[in-house]
Amino acid sequence: MPFKDFDELLPPDPRFANVSAGDPTNWLRRMGFKDHYSMAAEISLTTTTPDHVQEMFDRARHTYVFAWFDYELTVVADQYALATLEGALKAYFGSTRTLRPLLERAVKAGLVPKYMHSGHETAMYLAMLRNHWAHGNNGFGTPGMSATTLEMCADVIRRLYPEVQQFA
């Protein structure tokens, strides 16, 4: 998509006209900005997540929200969510390794299941997705696919930094 003129920046990307949201009274309806925002707002990390990881994850969620105005920003949200996951793993293990070896280490340690989300092998799938976007792919996904990437990354991060159980 070409660089937008200033007056074209704030209306929703026209491709959202074909995206629907579930509605208990109407079954399906056209998705609105608040629906899109809510998808990102519902994906959260734990309170025990290190601040720098939370800040990175919030950047990914904000980028996802702003994809409402430019659909292709879903790719940037995916990339940043995956970079956040790598950063969370590096902080957890005190390592400088890259995403796949860190995920394999988390799986081996029993912190993360070997297979997640639709039966994909966790380390292979997330590393493949990160490499797909990081190495010059011109394609883009959909808001639903991007929300799934955000949720998958959040799921792994929540497993690394679970809420602390308090006993009375």
Side-chain angles (χ1 to χ4, degrees), residues 8-162:
E8 297 174 311
L9 291 176
L10 293 181
D13 189 296
R15 290 167 281 193
F16 275 100
N18 298 318
V19 179
S20 299
D23 187 318
T25 57
N26 298 326
W27 192 57
L28 285 178
R29 61 178 166 71
R30 181 172 287 171
M31 176 184 270
F33 182 57
K34 190 170 186 175
D35 298 308
H36 182 69
Y37 173 85
S38 294
M39 287 174 67
E42 291 171 5
I43 304 169
S44 61
L45 302 179
T46 60
T47 59
T48 57
T49 302
D51 290 343
H52 75 282
V53 174
Q54 180 66 60
E55 289 169 9
M56 290 176 70
F57 193 72
D58 286 344
R59 277 186 217 122
R61 292 193 306 165
H62 283 128
T63 304
Y64 174 81
V65 169
F66 286 107
W68 180 259
F69 303 105
D70 189 344
Y71 206 82
E72 281 91 0
L73 288 175
T74 57
V75 171
V76 181
D78 284 359
Q79 287 178 315
Y80 213 80
L82 290 157
T84 300
L85 174 58
E86 186 172 339
L89 286 158
K90 285 179 177 183
Y92 185 86
F93 288 117
S95 174
T96 58
R97 307 267 338 245
T98 58
L99 183 60
R100 186 168 182 168
L102 288 167
L103 281 167
E104 288 169 346
R105 185 173 175 186
V107 168
K108 188 177 259 189
L111 297 165
V112 177
K114 183 171 181 156
Y115 297 96
M116 292 174 57
H117 303 279
S118 304
H120 293 343
E121 187 178 330
T122 306
M124 185 276 305
Y125 179 76
L126 290 172
M128 179 198 69
L129 184 60
R130 193 274 315 271
N131 290 341
H132 174 77
W133 294 130
H135 296 293
N137 190 303
N138 190 34
F140 59 92
T142 67
M145 289 168 55
S146 188
T148 299
T149 301
L150 283 164
E151 181 55 49
M152 289 176 72
C153 292
D155 187 9
V156 173
I157 295 167
R158 287 189 300 260
R159 290 168 186 269
L160 297 174
Y161 301 101

